[in-house]
PDB file of all heavy atoms in Angstrom:
ATOM      1  N   ILE V   3       2.731   8.675   3.245  1.00 98.00           N
ATOM      2  CA  ILE V   3       3.619   7.645   2.714  1.00 98.00           C
ATOM      3  C   ILE V   3       3.015   7.055   1.449  1.00 98.00           C
ATOM      4  O   ILE V   3       1.830   6.698   1.413  1.00 98.00           O
ATOM      5  CB  ILE V   3       3.834   6.519   3.744  1.00 98.00           C
ATOM      6  CG1 ILE V   3       4.382   7.076   5.057  1.00 98.00           C
ATOM      7  CG2 ILE V   3       4.740   5.433   3.175  1.00 98.00           C
ATOM      8  CD1 ILE V   3       5.754   7.684   4.962  1.00 98.00           C
ATOM      9  N   GLY V   4       3.830   6.929   0.407  1.00 98.00           N
ATOM     10  CA  GLY V   4       3.432   6.218  -0.791  1.00 98.00           C
ATOM     11  C   GLY V   4       4.189   4.910  -0.894  1.00 98.00           C
ATOM     12  O   GLY V   4       5.335   4.795  -0.434  1.00 98.00           O
ATOM     13  N   ILE V   5       3.561   3.900  -1.479  1.00 98.00           N
ATOM     14  CA  ILE V   5       4.184   2.590  -1.684  1.00 98.00           C
ATOM     15  C   ILE V   5       4.341   2.379  -3.180  1.00 98.00           C
ATOM     16  O   ILE V   5       3.376   2.512  -3.938  1.00 98.00           O
ATOM     17  CB  ILE V   5       3.321   1.462  -1.084  1.00 98.00           C
ATOM     18  CG1 ILE V   5       3.112   1.670   0.413  1.00 98.00           C
ATOM     19  CG2 ILE V   5       3.954   0.097  -1.360  1.00 98.00           C
ATOM     20  CD1 ILE V   5       2.117   0.686   1.036  1.00 98.00           C
ATOM     21  N   TYR V   6       5.557   2.064  -3.595  1.00 98.00           N
ATOM     22  CA  TYR V   6       5.814   1.816  -5.017  1.00 98.00           C
ATOM     23  C   TYR V   6       6.134   0.339  -5.181  1.00 98.00           C
ATOM     24  O   TYR V   6       7.223  -0.123  -4.827  1.00 98.00           O
ATOM     25  CB  TYR V   6       6.983   2.682  -5.495  1.00 98.00           C
ATOM     26  CG  TYR V   6       7.133   2.745  -7.001  1.00 98.00           C
ATOM     27  CD1 TYR V   6       6.484   3.725  -7.741  1.00 98.00           C
ATOM     28  CD2 TYR V   6       7.905   1.817  -7.685  1.00 98.00           C
ATOM     29  CE1 TYR V   6       6.614   3.808  -9.122  1.00 98.00           C
ATOM     30  CE2 TYR V   6       8.045   1.879  -9.058  1.00 98.00           C
ATOM     31  CZ  TYR V   6       7.397   2.878  -9.777  1.00 98.00           C
ATOM     32  OH  TYR V   6       7.529   2.936 -11.144  1.00 98.00           O
ATOM     33  N   GLY V   7       5.173  -0.423  -5.697  1.00 97.00           N
ATOM     34  CA  GLY V   7       5.323  -1.875  -5.822  1.00 97.00           C
ATOM     35  C   GLY V   7       4.487  -2.576  -4.767  1.00 97.00           C
ATOM     36  O   GLY V   7       4.475  -2.162  -3.599  1.00 97.00           O
ATOM     37  N   TYR V   8       3.781  -3.626  -5.162  1.00 97.00           N
ATOM     38  CA  TYR V   8       2.828  -4.237  -4.234  1.00 97.00           C
ATOM     39  C   TYR V   8       2.976  -5.759  -4.206  1.00 97.00           C
ATOM     40  O   TYR V   8       2.040  -6.500  -4.457  1.00 97.00           O
ATOM     41  CB  TYR V   8       1.396  -3.830  -4.602  1.00 97.00           C
ATOM     42  CG  TYR V   8       0.410  -4.055  -3.476  1.00 97.00           C
ATOM     43  CD1 TYR V   8       0.515  -3.345  -2.290  1.00 97.00           C
ATOM     44  CD2 TYR V   8      -0.619  -4.990  -3.600  1.00 97.00           C
ATOM     45  CE1 TYR V   8      -0.387  -3.560  -1.260  1.00 97.00           C
ATOM     46  CE2 TYR V   8      -1.524  -5.201  -2.578  1.00 97.00           C
ATOM     47  CZ  TYR V   8      -1.395  -4.478  -1.400  1.00 97.00           C
ATOM     48  OH  TYR V   8      -2.283  -4.692  -0.370  1.00 97.00           O
ATOM     49  N   GLY V   9       4.176  -6.219  -3.872  1.00 94.00           N
ATOM     50  CA  GLY V   9       4.386  -7.623  -3.568  1.00 94.00           C
ATOM     51  C   GLY V   9       4.324  -7.829  -2.065  1.00 94.00           C
ATOM     52  O   GLY V   9       3.662  -7.072  -1.335  1.00 94.00           O
ATOM     53  N   ASN V  10       5.045  -8.843  -1.574  1.00 94.00           N
ATOM     54  CA  ASN V  10       5.030  -9.132  -0.130  1.00 94.00           C
ATOM     55  C   ASN V  10       5.541  -7.955   0.689  1.00 94.00           C
ATOM     56  O   ASN V  10       5.002  -7.636   1.752  1.00 94.00           O
ATOM     57  CB  ASN V  10       5.886 -10.368   0.155  1.00 94.00           C
ATOM     58  CG  ASN V  10       5.249 -11.642  -0.349  1.00 94.00           C
ATOM     59  OD1 ASN V  10       4.037 -11.796  -0.320  1.00 94.00           O
ATOM     60  ND2 ASN V  10       6.064 -12.577  -0.818  1.00 94.00           N
ATOM     61  N   LEU V  11       6.582  -7.285   0.200  1.00 96.00           N
ATOM     62  CA  LEU V  11       7.141  -6.155   0.949  1.00 96.00           C
ATOM     63  C   LEU V  11       6.182  -4.965   0.950  1.00 96.00           C
ATOM     64  O   LEU V  11       5.978  -4.321   1.984  1.00 96.00           O
ATOM     65  CB  LEU V  11       8.494  -5.761   0.353  1.00 96.00           C
ATOM     66  CG  LEU V  11       9.275  -4.683   1.102  1.00 96.00           C
ATOM     67  CD1 LEU V  11       9.545  -5.101   2.540  1.00 96.00           C
ATOM     68  CD2 LEU V  11      10.577  -4.367   0.375  1.00 96.00           C
ATOM     69  N   GLY V  12       5.586  -4.671  -0.187  1.00 97.00           N
ATOM     70  CA  GLY V  12       4.630  -3.572  -0.251  1.00 97.00           C
ATOM     71  C   GLY V  12       3.444  -3.786   0.670  1.00 97.00           C
ATOM     72  O   GLY V  12       2.972  -2.849   1.333  1.00 97.00           O
ATOM     73  N   LYS V  13       2.959  -5.021   0.722  1.00 98.00           N
ATOM     74  CA  LYS V  13       1.865  -5.340   1.642  1.00 98.00           C
ATOM     75  C   LYS V  13       2.316  -5.176   3.089  1.00 98.00           C
ATOM     76  O   LYS V  13       1.540  -4.726   3.948  1.00 98.00           O
ATOM     77  CB  LYS V  13       1.371  -6.761   1.393  1.00 98.00           C
ATOM     78  CG  LYS V  13       0.678  -6.928   0.040  1.00 98.00           C
ATOM     79  CD  LYS V  13       0.371  -8.389  -0.249  1.00 98.00           C
ATOM     80  CE  LYS V  13      -0.246  -8.547  -1.640  1.00 98.00           C
ATOM     81  NZ  LYS V  13      -0.423  -9.974  -2.012  1.00 98.00           N
ATOM     82  N   GLY V  14       3.567  -5.531   3.376  1.00 98.00           N
ATOM     83  CA  GLY V  14       4.095  -5.346   4.727  1.00 98.00           C
ATOM     84  C   GLY V  14       4.141  -3.880   5.122  1.00 98.00           C
ATOM     85  O   GLY V  14       3.822  -3.514   6.259  1.00 98.00           O
ATOM     86  N   VAL V  15       4.539  -3.021   4.184  1.00 98.00           N
ATOM     87  CA  VAL V  15       4.552  -1.584   4.456  1.00 98.00           C
ATOM     88  C   VAL V  15       3.138  -1.077   4.720  1.00 98.00           C
ATOM     89  O   VAL V  15       2.902  -0.283   5.647  1.00 98.00           O
ATOM     90  CB  VAL V  15       5.183  -0.816   3.277  1.00 98.00           C
ATOM     91  CG1 VAL V  15       4.993   0.698   3.458  1.00 98.00           C
ATOM     92  CG2 VAL V  15       6.666  -1.155   3.149  1.00 98.00           C
ATOM     93  N   GLU V  16       2.191  -1.546   3.940  1.00 98.00           N
ATOM     94  CA  GLU V  16       0.790  -1.144   4.126  1.00 98.00           C
ATOM     95  C   GLU V  16       0.332  -1.435   5.561  1.00 98.00           C
ATOM     96  O   GLU V  16      -0.340  -0.603   6.194  1.00 98.00           O
ATOM     97  CB  GLU V  16      -0.087  -1.890   3.125  1.00 98.00           C
ATOM     98  CG  GLU V  16      -1.560  -1.565   3.212  1.00 98.00           C
ATOM     99  CD  GLU V  16      -2.401  -2.391   2.255  1.00 98.00           C
ATOM    100  OE1 GLU V  16      -1.861  -3.323   1.615  1.00 98.00           O
ATOM    101  OE2 GLU V  16      -3.613  -2.105   2.136  1.00 98.00           O
ATOM    102  N   LEU V  17       0.707  -2.594   6.075  1.00 98.00           N
ATOM    103  CA  LEU V  17       0.304  -2.964   7.431  1.00 98.00           C
ATOM    104  C   LEU V  17       1.104  -2.209   8.485  1.00 98.00           C
ATOM    105  O   LEU V  17       0.572  -1.807   9.526  1.00 98.00           O
ATOM    106  CB  LEU V  17       0.486  -4.478   7.625  1.00 98.00           C
ATOM    107  CG  LEU V  17      -0.376  -5.365   6.720  1.00 98.00           C
ATOM    108  CD1 LEU V  17      -0.034  -6.838   6.953  1.00 98.00           C
ATOM    109  CD2 LEU V  17      -1.862  -5.133   6.966  1.00 98.00           C
ATOM    110  N   ALA V  18       2.402  -1.988   8.220  1.00 98.00           N
ATOM    111  CA  ALA V  18       3.264  -1.335   9.207  1.00 98.00           C
ATOM    112  C   ALA V  18       2.872   0.122   9.435  1.00 98.00           C
ATOM    113  O   ALA V  18       2.913   0.609  10.571  1.00 98.00           O
ATOM    114  CB  ALA V  18       4.721  -1.425   8.770  1.00 98.00           C
ATOM    115  N   VAL V  19       2.483   0.823   8.388  1.00 98.00           N
ATOM    116  CA  VAL V  19       2.122   2.230   8.534  1.00 98.00           C
ATOM    117  C   VAL V  19       0.940   2.392   9.480  1.00 98.00           C
ATOM    118  O   VAL V  19       0.852   3.380  10.229  1.00 98.00           O
ATOM    119  CB  VAL V  19       1.819   2.854   7.149  1.00 98.00           C
ATOM    120  CG1 VAL V  19       1.166   4.228   7.295  1.00 98.00           C
ATOM    121  CG2 VAL V  19       3.097   2.976   6.335  1.00 98.00           C
ATOM    122  N   ARG V  20       0.045   1.406   9.501  1.00 96.00           N
ATOM    123  CA  ARG V  20      -1.132   1.487  10.389  1.00 96.00           C
ATOM    124  C   ARG V  20      -0.734   1.529  11.865  1.00 96.00           C
ATOM    125  O   ARG V  20      -1.516   1.981  12.705  1.00 96.00           O
ATOM    126  CB  ARG V  20      -2.046   0.279  10.158  1.00 96.00           C
ATOM    127  CG  ARG V  20      -2.629   0.199   8.757  1.00 96.00           C
ATOM    128  CD  ARG V  20      -3.827  -0.717   8.712  1.00 96.00           C
ATOM    129  NE  ARG V  20      -3.604  -1.989   9.386  1.00 96.00           N
ATOM    130  CZ  ARG V  20      -4.574  -2.800   9.779  1.00 96.00           C
ATOM    131  NH1 ARG V  20      -5.837  -2.463   9.597  1.00 96.00           N
ATOM    132  NH2 ARG V  20      -4.294  -3.959  10.355  1.00 96.00           N
ATOM    133  N   GLN V  21       0.477   1.069  12.199  1.00 97.00           N
ATOM    134  CA  GLN V  21       0.918   1.048  13.595  1.00 97.00           C
ATOM    135  C   GLN V  21       1.637   2.334  14.002  1.00 97.00           C
ATOM    136  O   GLN V  21       2.118   2.440  15.125  1.00 97.00           O
ATOM    137  CB  GLN V  21       1.836  -0.160  13.826  1.00 97.00           C
ATOM    138  CG  GLN V  21       1.132  -1.495  13.625  1.00 97.00           C
ATOM    139  CD  GLN V  21       2.052  -2.678  13.863  1.00 97.00           C
ATOM    140  OE1 GLN V  21       3.228  -2.646  13.540  1.00 97.00           O
ATOM    141  NE2 GLN V  21       1.507  -3.732  14.452  1.00 97.00           N
ATOM    142  N   ASN V  22       1.734   3.284  13.078  1.00 98.00           N
ATOM    143  CA  ASN V  22       2.447   4.528  13.351  1.00 98.00           C
ATOM    144  C   ASN V  22       1.486   5.704  13.224  1.00 98.00           C
ATOM    145  O   ASN V  22       1.048   6.041  12.123  1.00 98.00           O
ATOM    146  CB  ASN V  22       3.611   4.679  12.369  1.00 98.00           C
ATOM    147  CG  ASN V  22       4.692   3.648  12.610  1.00 98.00           C
ATOM    148  OD1 ASN V  22       5.612   3.879  13.382  1.00 98.00           O
ATOM    149  ND2 ASN V  22       4.581   2.496  11.958  1.00 98.00           N
ATOM    150  N   LYS V  23       1.165   6.314  14.358  1.00 96.00           N
ATOM    151  CA  LYS V  23       0.098   7.316  14.403  1.00 96.00           C
ATOM    152  C   LYS V  23       0.466   8.616  13.705  1.00 96.00           C
ATOM    153  O   LYS V  23      -0.423   9.425  13.409  1.00 96.00           O
ATOM    154  CB  LYS V  23      -0.283   7.586  15.860  1.00 96.00           C
ATOM    155  CG  LYS V  23      -0.906   6.378  16.556  1.00 96.00           C
ATOM    156  CD  LYS V  23      -1.273   6.676  17.996  1.00 96.00           C
ATOM    157  CE  LYS V  23      -1.876   5.455  18.675  1.00 96.00           C
ATOM    158  NZ  LYS V  23      -2.201   5.718  20.104  1.00 96.00           N
ATOM    159  N   ASP V  24       1.765   8.842  13.473  1.00 97.00           N
ATOM    160  CA  ASP V  24       2.155  10.087  12.817  1.00 97.00           C
ATOM    161  C   ASP V  24       2.222   9.927  11.304  1.00 97.00           C
ATOM    162  O   ASP V  24       2.708  10.823  10.599  1.00 97.00           O
ATOM    163  CB  ASP V  24       3.509  10.566  13.349  1.00 97.00           C
ATOM    164  CG  ASP V  24       4.630   9.554  13.135  1.00 97.00           C
ATOM    165  OD1 ASP V  24       4.318   8.348  12.988  1.00 97.00           O
ATOM    166  OD2 ASP V  24       5.814   9.954  13.122  1.00 97.00           O
ATOM    167  N   MET V  25       1.732   8.798  10.776  1.00 98.00           N
ATOM    168  CA  MET V  25       1.786   8.530   9.338  1.00 98.00           C
ATOM    169  C   MET V  25       0.422   8.147   8.808  1.00 98.00           C
ATOM    170  O   MET V  25      -0.418   7.618   9.534  1.00 98.00           O
ATOM    171  CB  MET V  25       2.739   7.367   9.041  1.00 98.00           C
ATOM    172  CG  MET V  25       4.166   7.585   9.441  1.00 98.00           C
ATOM    173  SD  MET V  25       5.155   6.139   8.989  1.00 98.00           S
ATOM    174  CE  MET V  25       6.770   6.667   9.568  1.00 98.00           C
ATOM    175  N   GLU V  26       0.240   8.392   7.503  1.00 97.00           N
ATOM    176  CA  GLU V  26      -0.919   7.853   6.812  1.00 97.00           C
ATOM    177  C   GLU V  26      -0.493   7.455   5.406  1.00 97.00           C
ATOM    178  O   GLU V  26       0.451   8.027   4.846  1.00 97.00           O
ATOM    179  CB  GLU V  26      -2.066   8.859   6.773  1.00 97.00           C
ATOM    180  CG  GLU V  26      -1.776  10.132   6.010  1.00 97.00           C
ATOM    181  CD  GLU V  26      -2.987  11.047   5.946  1.00 97.00           C
ATOM    182  OE1 GLU V  26      -3.831  10.833   5.056  1.00 97.00           O
ATOM    183  OE2 GLU V  26      -3.073  11.982   6.781  1.00 97.00           O
ATOM    184  N   LEU V  27      -1.193   6.485   4.852  1.00 98.00           N
ATOM    185  CA  LEU V  27      -0.871   6.021   3.513  1.00 98.00           C
ATOM    186  C   LEU V  27      -1.605   6.846   2.469  1.00 98.00           C
ATOM    187  O   LEU V  27      -2.813   7.031   2.553  1.00 98.00           O
ATOM    188  CB  LEU V  27      -1.249   4.544   3.359  1.00 98.00           C
ATOM    189  CG  LEU V  27      -0.247   3.533   3.903  1.00 98.00           C
ATOM    190  CD1 LEU V  27      -0.853   2.140   3.881  1.00 98.00           C
ATOM    191  CD2 LEU V  27       1.050   3.559   3.108  1.00 98.00           C
ATOM    192  N   PHE V  28      -0.852   7.307   1.471  1.00 98.00           N
ATOM    193  CA  PHE V  28      -1.482   7.983   0.338  1.00 98.00           C
ATOM    194  C   PHE V  28      -2.049   6.954  -0.621  1.00 98.00           C
ATOM    195  O   PHE V  28      -3.170   7.092  -1.114  1.00 98.00           O
ATOM    196  CB  PHE V  28      -0.464   8.871  -0.377  1.00 98.00           C
ATOM    197  CG  PHE V  28      -1.031   9.544  -1.590  1.00 98.00           C
ATOM    198  CD1 PHE V  28      -1.773  10.704  -1.463  1.00 98.00           C
ATOM    199  CD2 PHE V  28      -0.847   9.002  -2.856  1.00 98.00           C
ATOM    200  CE1 PHE V  28      -2.318  11.324  -2.579  1.00 98.00           C
ATOM    201  CE2 PHE V  28      -1.386   9.613  -3.977  1.00 98.00           C
ATOM    202  CZ  PHE V  28      -2.129  10.766  -3.841  1.00 98.00           C
ATOM    203  N   GLY V  29      -1.274   5.901  -0.908  1.00 98.00           N
ATOM    204  CA  GLY V  29      -1.734   4.867  -1.818  1.00 98.00           C
ATOM    205  C   GLY V  29      -0.587   4.034  -2.337  1.00 98.00           C
ATOM    206  O   GLY V  29       0.579   4.227  -1.968  1.00 98.00           O
ATOM    207  N   VAL V  30      -0.936   3.101  -3.211  1.00 98.00           N
ATOM    208  CA  VAL V  30       0.015   2.176  -3.824  1.00 98.00           C
ATOM    209  C   VAL V  30       0.157   2.522  -5.302  1.00 98.00           C
ATOM    210  O   VAL V  30      -0.841   2.775  -5.986  1.00 98.00           O
ATOM    211  CB  VAL V  30      -0.483   0.716  -3.689  1.00 98.00           C
ATOM    212  CG1 VAL V  30       0.380  -0.234  -4.507  1.00 98.00           C
ATOM    213  CG2 VAL V  30      -0.503   0.287  -2.231  1.00 98.00           C
ATOM    214  N   PHE V  31       1.393   2.507  -5.782  1.00 98.00           N
ATOM    215  CA  PHE V  31       1.660   2.688  -7.207  1.00 98.00           C
ATOM    216  C   PHE V  31       2.144   1.359  -7.774  1.00 98.00           C
ATOM    217  O   PHE V  31       3.059   0.743  -7.231  1.00 98.00           O
ATOM    218  CB  PHE V  31       2.694   3.791  -7.429  1.00 98.00           C
ATOM    219  CG  PHE V  31       2.180   5.141  -7.059  1.00 98.00           C
ATOM    220  CD1 PHE V  31       2.290   5.602  -5.751  1.00 98.00           C
ATOM    221  CD2 PHE V  31       1.552   5.942  -7.998  1.00 98.00           C
ATOM    222  CE1 PHE V  31       1.793   6.848  -5.391  1.00 98.00           C
ATOM    223  CE2 PHE V  31       1.049   7.182  -7.650  1.00 98.00           C
ATOM    224  CZ  PHE V  31       1.167   7.642  -6.341  1.00 98.00           C
ATOM    225  N   THR V  32       1.511   0.917  -8.860  1.00 97.00           N
ATOM    226  CA  THR V  32       1.770  -0.422  -9.376  1.00 97.00           C
ATOM    227  C   THR V  32       1.962  -0.404 -10.886  1.00 97.00           C
ATOM    228  O   THR V  32       1.390   0.446 -11.591  1.00 97.00           O
ATOM    229  CB  THR V  32       0.606  -1.373  -9.012  1.00 97.00           C
ATOM    230  OG1 THR V  32       0.854  -2.667  -9.569  1.00 97.00           O
ATOM    231  CG2 THR V  32      -0.725  -0.843  -9.536  1.00 97.00           C
ATOM    232  N   ARG V  33       2.767  -1.359 -11.373  1.00 95.00           N
ATOM    233  CA  ARG V  33       2.929  -1.538 -12.815  1.00 95.00           C
ATOM    234  C   ARG V  33       1.788  -2.367 -13.396  1.00 95.00           C
ATOM    235  O   ARG V  33       1.632  -2.460 -14.599  1.00 95.00           O
ATOM    236  CB  ARG V  33       4.280  -2.211 -13.109  1.00 95.00           C
ATOM    237  CG  ARG V  33       5.471  -1.294 -12.835  1.00 95.00           C
ATOM    238  CD  ARG V  33       6.803  -1.983 -13.061  1.00 95.00           C
ATOM    239  NE  ARG V  33       7.090  -2.965 -12.040  1.00 95.00           N
ATOM    240  CZ  ARG V  33       8.264  -3.597 -11.909  1.00 95.00           C
ATOM    241  NH1 ARG V  33       9.241  -3.355 -12.775  1.00 95.00           N
ATOM    242  NH2 ARG V  33       8.449  -4.472 -10.950  1.00 95.00           N
ATOM    243  N   ARG V  34       1.018  -2.983 -12.511  1.00 95.00           N
ATOM    244  CA  ARG V  34      -0.166  -3.733 -12.952  1.00 95.00           C
ATOM    245  C   ARG V  34      -1.323  -2.759 -13.223  1.00 95.00           C
ATOM    246  O   ARG V  34      -1.215  -1.566 -12.978  1.00 95.00           O
ATOM    247  CB  ARG V  34      -0.575  -4.743 -11.884  1.00 95.00           C
ATOM    248  CG  ARG V  34       0.390  -5.917 -11.733  1.00 95.00           C
ATOM    249  CD  ARG V  34      -0.023  -6.806 -10.566  1.00 95.00           C
ATOM    250  NE  ARG V  34       0.584  -6.369  -9.321  1.00 95.00           N
ATOM    251  CZ  ARG V  34       0.326  -6.919  -8.139  1.00 95.00           C
ATOM    252  NH1 ARG V  34      -0.566  -7.897  -8.051  1.00 95.00           N
ATOM    253  NH2 ARG V  34       0.938  -6.494  -7.051  1.00 95.00           N
ATOM    254  N   ASN V  35      -2.418  -3.310 -13.687  1.00 96.00           N
ATOM    255  CA  ASN V  35      -3.619  -2.510 -13.855  1.00 96.00           C
ATOM    256  C   ASN V  35      -4.152  -2.148 -12.459  1.00 96.00           C
ATOM    257  O   ASN V  35      -4.593  -3.031 -11.715  1.00 96.00           O
ATOM    258  CB  ASN V  35      -4.671  -3.303 -14.633  1.00 96.00           C
ATOM    259  CG  ASN V  35      -5.983  -2.544 -14.760  1.00 96.00           C
ATOM    260  OD1 ASN V  35      -6.084  -1.392 -14.355  1.00 96.00           O
ATOM    261  ND2 ASN V  35      -6.993  -3.213 -15.301  1.00 96.00           N
ATOM    262  N   PRO V  36      -4.131  -0.873 -12.077  1.00 96.00           N
ATOM    263  CA  PRO V  36      -4.540  -0.523 -10.704  1.00 96.00           C
ATOM    264  C   PRO V  36      -5.994  -0.868 -10.408  1.00 96.00           C
ATOM    265  O   PRO V  36      -6.349  -1.121  -9.254  1.00 96.00           O
ATOM    266  CB  PRO V  36      -4.298   0.995 -10.640  1.00 96.00           C
ATOM    267  CG  PRO V  36      -4.232   1.457 -12.044  1.00 96.00           C
ATOM    268  CD  PRO V  36      -3.695   0.303 -12.843  1.00 96.00           C
ATOM    269  N   GLU V  37      -6.825  -0.915 -11.427  1.00 95.00           N
ATOM    270  CA  GLU V  37      -8.233  -1.232 -11.194  1.00 95.00           C
ATOM    271  C   GLU V  37      -8.430  -2.689 -10.777  1.00 95.00           C
ATOM    272  O   GLU V  37      -9.444  -3.033 -10.163  1.00 95.00           O
ATOM    273  CB  GLU V  37      -9.040  -0.925 -12.454  1.00 95.00           C
ATOM    274  CG  GLU V  37      -9.076   0.562 -12.797  1.00 95.00           C
ATOM    275  CD  GLU V  37      -9.835   0.830 -14.085  1.00 95.00           C
ATOM    276  OE1 GLU V  37     -10.385  -0.136 -14.662  1.00 95.00           O
ATOM    277  OE2 GLU V  37      -9.882   1.998 -14.509  1.00 95.00           O
ATOM    278  N   SER V  38      -7.467  -3.525 -11.116  1.00 94.00           N
ATOM    279  CA  SER V  38      -7.584  -4.946 -10.770  1.00 94.00           C
ATOM    280  C   SER V  38      -6.905  -5.280  -9.447  1.00 94.00           C
ATOM    281  O   SER V  38      -6.958  -6.419  -8.989  1.00 94.00           O
ATOM    282  CB  SER V  38      -6.969  -5.802 -11.881  1.00 94.00           C
ATOM    283  OG  SER V  38      -5.557  -5.617 -11.932  1.00 94.00           O
ATOM    284  N   LEU V  39      -6.259  -4.294  -8.830  1.00 95.00           N
ATOM    285  CA  LEU V  39      -5.493  -4.535  -7.609  1.00 95.00           C
ATOM    286  C   LEU V  39      -6.361  -4.293  -6.381  1.00 95.00           C
ATOM    287  O   LEU V  39      -6.886  -3.192  -6.184  1.00 95.00           O
ATOM    288  CB  LEU V  39      -4.266  -3.616  -7.576  1.00 95.00           C
ATOM    289  CG  LEU V  39      -3.247  -3.896  -6.468  1.00 95.00           C
ATOM    290  CD1 LEU V  39      -2.565  -5.228  -6.704  1.00 95.00           C
ATOM    291  CD2 LEU V  39      -2.209  -2.773  -6.430  1.00 95.00           C
ATOM    292  N   LYS V  40      -6.486  -5.313  -5.564  1.00 95.00           N
ATOM    293  CA  LYS V  40      -7.230  -5.186  -4.313  1.00 95.00           C
ATOM    294  C   LYS V  40      -6.243  -5.159  -3.158  1.00 95.00           C
ATOM    295  O   LYS V  40      -5.555  -6.132  -2.888  1.00 95.00           O
ATOM    296  CB  LYS V  40      -8.205  -6.364  -4.148  1.00 95.00           C
ATOM    297  CG  LYS V  40      -9.113  -6.222  -2.931  1.00 95.00           C
ATOM    298  CD  LYS V  40     -10.105  -7.367  -2.844  1.00 95.00           C
ATOM    299  CE  LYS V  40     -11.021  -7.213  -1.641  1.00 95.00           C
ATOM    300  NZ  LYS V  40     -11.999  -8.331  -1.524  1.00 95.00           N
ATOM    301  N   THR V  41      -6.148  -4.026  -2.496  1.00 97.00           N
ATOM    302  CA  THR V  41      -5.195  -3.889  -1.399  1.00 97.00           C
ATOM    303  C   THR V  41      -5.764  -4.471  -0.104  1.00 97.00           C
ATOM    304  O   THR V  41      -6.977  -4.617   0.042  1.00 97.00           O
ATOM    305  CB  THR V  41      -4.824  -2.408  -1.184  1.00 97.00           C
ATOM    306  OG1 THR V  41      -6.021  -1.656  -0.935  1.00 97.00           O
ATOM    307  CG2 THR V  41      -4.131  -1.848  -2.419  1.00 97.00           C
ATOM    308  N   LEU V  42      -4.874  -4.766   0.842  1.00 97.00           N
ATOM    309  CA  LEU V  42      -5.291  -5.418   2.088  1.00 97.00           C
ATOM    310  C   LEU V  42      -6.211  -4.546   2.920  1.00 97.00           C
ATOM    311  O   LEU V  42      -7.140  -5.044   3.561  1.00 97.00           O
ATOM    312  CB  LEU V  42      -4.052  -5.776   2.927  1.00 97.00           C
ATOM    313  CG  LEU V  42      -3.095  -6.828   2.357  1.00 97.00           C
ATOM    314  CD1 LEU V  42      -1.864  -6.963   3.248  1.00 97.00           C
ATOM    315  CD2 LEU V  42      -3.801  -8.183   2.235  1.00 97.00           C
ATOM    316  N   THR V  43      -5.948  -3.248   2.932  1.00 96.00           N
ATOM    317  CA  THR V  43      -6.710  -2.347   3.807  1.00 96.00           C
ATOM    318  C   THR V  43      -7.613  -1.395   3.041  1.00 96.00           C
ATOM    319  O   THR V  43      -8.201  -0.488   3.626  1.00 96.00           O
ATOM    320  CB  THR V  43      -5.744  -1.523   4.685  1.00 96.00           C
ATOM    321  OG1 THR V  43      -4.918  -0.705   3.833  1.00 96.00           O
ATOM    322  CG2 THR V  43      -4.859  -2.433   5.518  1.00 96.00           C
ATOM    323  N   GLY V  44      -7.704  -1.584   1.715  1.00 96.00           N
ATOM    324  CA  GLY V  44      -8.585  -0.746   0.923  1.00 96.00           C
ATOM    325  C   GLY V  44      -7.993   0.574   0.482  1.00 96.00           C
ATOM    326  O   GLY V  44      -8.715   1.435  -0.042  1.00 96.00           O
ATOM    327  N   ILE V  45      -6.686   0.774   0.667  1.00 96.00           N
ATOM    328  CA  ILE V  45      -6.088   2.021   0.194  1.00 96.00           C
ATOM    329  C   ILE V  45      -6.090   2.033  -1.335  1.00 96.00           C
ATOM    330  O   ILE V  45      -6.051   0.983  -1.973  1.00 96.00           O
ATOM    331  CB  ILE V  45      -4.654   2.203   0.729  1.00 96.00           C
ATOM    332  CG1 ILE V  45      -3.742   1.048   0.279  1.00 96.00           C
ATOM    333  CG2 ILE V  45      -4.655   2.345   2.225  1.00 96.00           C
ATOM    334  CD1 ILE V  45      -2.282   1.317   0.541  1.00 96.00           C
TER     335      ILE V  45
END
């Protein structure tokens, strides 16, 4: 699963995927500087 956009909804998706054993997160795609973005779970 990829996440495009990292506001409240994107963070919710990041957490929700962890509860589904048949899924894994590839990463987050952002319009911000990705180097400055700290994700909740380190993806």
Side-chain angles (χ1 to χ4, degrees):
I3 303 295
I5 301 173
Y6 193 90
Y8 198 65
N10 289 325
L11 186 58
K13 292 172 183 174
V15 171
E16 180 183 7
L17 297 176
V19 168
R20 297 198 313 162
Q21 296 180 324
N22 292 270
K23 295 180 181 178
D24 59 337
M25 299 181 180
E26 63 177 276
L27 278 171
F28 177 82
V30 171
F31 292 87
T32 178
R33 290 177 288 188
R34 289 175 271 176
N35 176 5
E37 294 178 4
S38 68
L39 189 67
K40 186 177 181 181
T41 57
L42 294 175
T43 62
I45 60 169

